[in-house]
């Protein structure tokens, strides 16, 4: 899984965004993926990124209000997954659209 859990002072579980990148990589990820837990489309997005060797950071918009605000500022909507790269965003893109966007 690509997020870490910890427990806050009240004892509630909290999810945090985690940077996903290969061990040998020294460059930051080019893509931010906005997701919600349990989302099958988000799982597909992660799989596509893995299969295409794309480094990404993930932001959970259901548990991180700052992530939700950032995504909404970019897209003015609340659907996921959202891919952000190069100062632009794509909402639920098809594979070919995503390949062109990241190419």
């Amino acid at each position: 899984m690509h997020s870490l859990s910890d427990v806050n002072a009240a004892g509630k579980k909290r999810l945090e965004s985690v940077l996903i990148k290969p061990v040998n990589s020294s460059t930051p990820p080019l893509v931010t993926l906005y997701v919600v837990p349990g989302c099958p489309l988000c799982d597909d997005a992660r799989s596509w990124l893995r299969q295409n060797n794309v480094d990404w950071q993930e932001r959970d918009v259901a548990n991180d209000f700052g992530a939700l605000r950032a995504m909404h500022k970019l897209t003015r909507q609340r659907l996921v997954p959202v891919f952000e790269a190069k100062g632009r965003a794509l909402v639920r893109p098809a594979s070919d659209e995503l390949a062109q966007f990241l190419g």
Side-chain angles (χ1 to χ4, degrees):
M1 189 159 188
H2 294 290
S3 57
L4 296 176
S5 296
D6 64 31
V7 179
N8 65 15
K12 292 186 178 179
K13 214 173 203 188
R14 178 174 52 119
L15 296 175
E16 294 181 359
S17 297
V18 151
L19 185 66
I20 308 299
K21 66 183 195 176
V23 174
N24 296 330
S25 178
S26 62
T27 58
L30 299 175
V31 176
T32 299
L33 179 62
Y34 294 91
V35 299
V36 297
C39 166
L41 293 174
C42 300
D43 292 339
D44 292 344
R46 289 182 195 99
S47 293
W48 190 96
L49 291 168
R50 268 190 224 101
Q51 289 170 359
N52 290 277
N53 298 314
V54 176
D55 296 338
W56 79 94
Q57 78 176 9
E58 194 166 291
R59 300 200 62 195
D60 177 347
V61 299
N63 294 297
D64 178 350
F65 186 69
L68 178 63
R69 282 191 329 198
M71 185 185 81
H72 190 267
K73 184 177 179 183
L74 279 168
T75 64
R76 299 290 183 224
Q77 57 84 52
R78 295 176 59 129
L79 298 174
V80 292
V82 171
F83 296 81
E84 177 188 3
K86 306 172 191 170
R88 297 180 21 221
L90 280 180
V91 179
R92 295 184 174 179
S95 292
D96 57 337
E97 291 175 302
L98 186 55
Q100 184 177 18
F101 179 68
L102 298 177

